[in-house]
Every structure is written in C-alpha cells, then in structure tokens.
C-alpha cells in the first residue's frame, strides 16, 4: 500500500468512527429569506415531516422583529404548537436581550445567540458592533443558563463579510475564545454568505480545536458558491460532530446580499452515507420531503440528490 493510499484509508476510518449530529434549520434559516411566507400550520407540517426523517435537533424559529423578518413573525405560535417528544431538542434564535426574554417566555429547549465577525454586518444584522455582540452574547449566556436552558453561540460571517470582505482566521479564533469564557454549551461557526473553502475550513477548525479542545463545535455552511459539501467533509475531518442542514438547500440571510441556501439535508446525508456514516436520518424520507417542499414553494430547490435520486437504490433504504 502506498503512503497516500494509507493516509486516505486512515482519514476514512477516522471519519467513520465519528458520531455526526445533523441539525435541521429548515424552519428558521431555511424559510427566513424566502418570498413565500409559510403559515404557522405549514411550518408545523414542515417540522413534523423533518422529524419523521429522523432528525432530533431542530432550529425552528427566530425571535426577531417582524418588521425586518416577517417570515418569523409567528415564533411563539410555532413553539406553542411543536410536537412534544422527549428525544427532541428545539432551538430558537435570539439577537438581543429582548429576543432572549421572548424565548425564555416559551417552552423552547435551547436558545441560539449570534455574534458577528465584522462591524458592518453586525450593524445590519442586529444593530450592534462586533464587540458589542460579543458582550451581549456573553451576558445572555449566563442569563439563559441561570434559567436552566441550553444555549449556543454562532459566529456569523466567519469566512467573509459581504461588506468588508475577507475575515481573518485569527479574528474568529479570538472571538471564540472570548465567548468560551461565558461557558456556552456549544459554539457554531457560520459561513453566512458561502465564501468558505475547504482549506480555510481546515485551518480555522484545527485552530479552534487546539485552542478550545473541550468546547463542542458546530458547522453552518451555505452553498452559495458550491463549496458547501466540501466544507462539511473538511469540518468533519477536523473533528466537528454537528452539522447544520436545510431540506432542499433552502435558506439565506435577509441582511446579506446574494446569500443563498444552506447545504441540503439530503445531499449531506447521501455523502456521509457513502462513507458508511449513519446519521440516523432516512434518505428516502429526506428526498420525499424535499420534493414536497419544492411543490409547496412552487419552485425547484437547490438540493441535487432529491432530483437525481440515491445511488445505489438500496442505499436510500438503508439510511
């Protein structure tokens, strides 16, 4: 066996031993940038269909002002009507203390906070600066944990900003270190506008793993420039165990020009399944749900596997 073949085999074996958690963000990130506004009933239908695919952790709402994100105007109503099952975790997103207070007044299991890697995008996204977003999140982590809820913090625009351009890896690592002092349950690294590449993903997550070895990390990639799946693979190779996805690859940020969909659920599960990784999700059900969502939205969705089908056919029945 050649050296490169041996290294490739060892990498494959390492990835196969990981337990990969799939986090479904369809009902929040997926819908927030779409022109079609789902009713509360439609959202619950979507969430139920997502749960039927096998997903256990879902981001379902955002506690933001309806003037700016009308798609999320019914956050409380959605949460009040969520199916109650012991093995599910529901996440609600909050951008400030008012959003946190709204979330704490619901039965949401986990609250997601957002800090932003650049001042310009932070201002447009949540009317804060980079530093004030870190200060806000650190304070809110303590408040949320004191209420007995789980809390995660996302670093948005970690690989690039639509207004300021490149974001230095050292900036994101330093932000993560500052956030870690407040002891959130997880830090998520988000490529909000889909400019990341596998090499930067590897460098960033390798540094984060080195500096924060005990902090659970999650990866949130957008497929704007068709690097999403490669970035997912690379993040997993670096030891990241939680990956955000949306059914059909819908989604994007309302405050970031040309920011398009998340990595598609069915494409990620297919890719991982080809390497023998069982995510616990049914590929067949993901494909059928994506096709249902496509009809519901009246357009072809970005996901590829829902259009091409699985291969071989029995793979879709197995995972």
């Amino acid at each position: 066996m050649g050296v490169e073949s041996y290294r490739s085999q060892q990498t494959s074996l390492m990835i196969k031993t990981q337990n990969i958690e799939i986090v479904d963000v369809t009902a929040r990130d997926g819908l927030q940038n779409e022109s079609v506004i789902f009713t509360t009933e439609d959202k619950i239908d979507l969430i139920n269909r997502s749960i039927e695919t096998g997903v256990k952790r879902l981001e379902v709402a955002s506690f933001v002002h309806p003037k700016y994100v009308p798609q999320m105007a019914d956050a409380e109503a959605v949460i009040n009507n969520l199916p109650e099952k012991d093995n599910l975790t529901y996440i609600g997103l909050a951008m400030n203390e008012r959003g946190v207070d709204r979330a704490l007044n619901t039965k949401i299991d986990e609250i997601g906070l957002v800090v932003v890697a650049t001042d310009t995008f932070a201002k447009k996204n949540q009317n804060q600066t980079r530093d004030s977003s870190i200060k806000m999140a650190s304070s809110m982590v303590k408040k949320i944990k004191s209420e007995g809820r789980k809390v995660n913090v996302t670093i948005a625009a970690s690989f690039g900003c639509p207004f300021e351009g490149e974001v230095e890896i050292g900036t994101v690592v330093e932000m993560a270190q500052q956030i870690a002092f407040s002891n959130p349950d997880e830090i998520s690294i988000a490529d909000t506008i889909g400019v990341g590449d596998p090499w930067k993903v590897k460098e960033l997550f390798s540094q984060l793993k080195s500096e924060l070895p005990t902090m659970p990390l999650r990866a949130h990639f957008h497929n704007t420039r068709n690097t999403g799946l490669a970035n997912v693979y690379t993040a997993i190779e670096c030891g990241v165990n939680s990956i955000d996805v949306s059914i059909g690859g819908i989604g994007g940020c309302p405050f970031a020009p040309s920011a398009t969909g998340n990595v598609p659920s069915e494409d990620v599960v297919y890719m991982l399944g080809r390497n023998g990784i069982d995510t616990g999700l049914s590929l067949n059900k993901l494909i059928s749900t994506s096709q249902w969502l496509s009809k519901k939205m009246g357009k072809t969705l970005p996901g590829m596997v829902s259009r091409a089908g699985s291969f071989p056919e029995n793979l879709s029945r197995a995972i």
Side-chain angles (χ1 to χ4, degrees):
M1 180 183 294
V3 173
E4 291 305 318
S5 296
Y6 175 79
R7 287 176 179 168
S8 176
Q9 182 188 58
Q10 294 307 299
T11 297
S12 178
L13 288 172
M14 178 187 72
I15 291 176
K16 284 183 181 180
T17 61
Q18 286 183 244
N19 180 25
I20 306 302
E21 176 190 54
I22 298 296
V23 181
D24 184 285
V25 301
T26 317
R28 199 281 300 176
D29 196 346
L31 294 181
Q32 71 173 5
N33 203 35
E34 296 292 336
S35 58
V36 176
I37 297 182
F38 275 38
T39 65
T40 301
E41 292 74 19
D42 286 338
K43 289 179 182 178
I44 296 301
D45 189 7
L46 172 61
I47 290 166
N48 274 311
R49 289 171 184 267
S50 297
I51 292 168
E52 288 174 4
T53 70
V55 70
K56 304 298 183 186
R57 192 174 174 207
L58 305 91
E59 194 174 75
V60 295
S62 181
F63 297 93
V64 292
H65 199 295
K67 174 183 175 182
Y68 302 110
V69 189
Q71 296 89 340
M72 296 291 110
D74 59 346
E76 283 86 354
V78 169
I79 292 164
N80 285 338
N81 288 280
L82 290 171
E84 295 186 15
K85 296 182 180 180
D86 292 337
N87 62 345
L88 299 177
T89 298
Y90 296 116
I91 306 170
L93 203 67
M95 300 290 185
N96 50 37
E97 187 167 10
R98 177 172 171 76
V100 169
D101 288 340
R102 285 178 60 193
L104 289 173
N105 282 325
T106 72
K107 61 182 180 180
I108 199 74
D109 302 304
E110 180 177 348
I111 298 173
L113 303 169
V114 179
V115 300
V116 185
T118 66
D119 286 334
T120 307
F121 190 34
K123 184 71 174 176
K124 291 181 180 292
N125 193 59
Q126 55 209 67
N127 198 29
Q128 298 168 354
T129 64
R130 180 180 66 194
D131 289 343
S132 67
S133 72
I134 295 172
K135 184 177 180 180
M136 177 278 300
S138 298
S139 174
M140 289 302 100
V141 166
K142 296 173 184 177
K143 179 174 183 174
I144 293 164
K145 296 195 84 168
S146 73
E147 295 290 333
R149 310 287 182 99
K150 288 187 175 182
V151 56
N152 68 75
V153 180
T154 292
I155 304 178
S158 289
F159 295 91
C161 170
F163 309 103
E164 297 186 25
E166 296 284 354
V167 172
E168 295 295 326
I169 285 174
T171 298
V172 179
V173 173
E174 183 179 351
M175 291 177 70
Q177 289 172 317
Q178 290 177 292
I179 294 161
F181 279 117
S182 62
N183 196 31
D185 294 291
E186 176 187 73
I187 293 176
S188 176
I189 303 300
D191 184 13
T192 310
I193 60 172
V195 293
D197 61 74
W199 297 274
K200 283 196 173 180
V201 169
K202 184 174 183 178
E203 185 178 356
L204 176 52
F205 278 109
S206 295
Q207 287 194 34
L208 288 171
K209 282 287 185 180
S210 176
E211 297 294 333
L212 302 170
T214 62
M215 175 59 66
L217 299 175
R218 191 166 106 231
H220 179 101
F221 296 116
H222 285 253
N223 200 38
T224 311
R225 291 165 178 82
N226 207 33
T227 57
L229 286 180
N231 293 341
V232 167
Y233 180 90
T234 304
I236 292 173
E237 190 177 20
C238 292
V240 175
N241 294 323
S242 294
I243 304 294
D244 285 358
V245 299
S246 77
I247 292 170
I250 65 170
C253 178
F255 307 105
S258 302
T260 51
N262 299 271
V263 287
S265 307
E266 59 272 27
D267 294 13
V268 170
V269 169
Y270 173 78
M271 178 183 72
L272 297 181
R274 293 287 289 178
N275 196 40
I277 300 172
D278 186 356
T279 60
L281 274 65
S282 164
L283 184 55
N284 260 346
K285 289 181 179 178
L286 284 172
I287 290 172
S288 62
T289 302
S290 180
Q291 292 169 345
W292 167 83
L293 186 57
S294 178
K295 292 178 182 177
K296 188 76 178 173
M297 301 186 77
K299 65 179 183 178
T300 301
L301 304 184
M304 302 296 290
V305 172
S306 57
R307 286 180 275 165
S310 182
F311 175 84
E313 186 62 26
N314 62 359
L315 179 68
S316 63
R317 292 192 290 269
I319 60 176

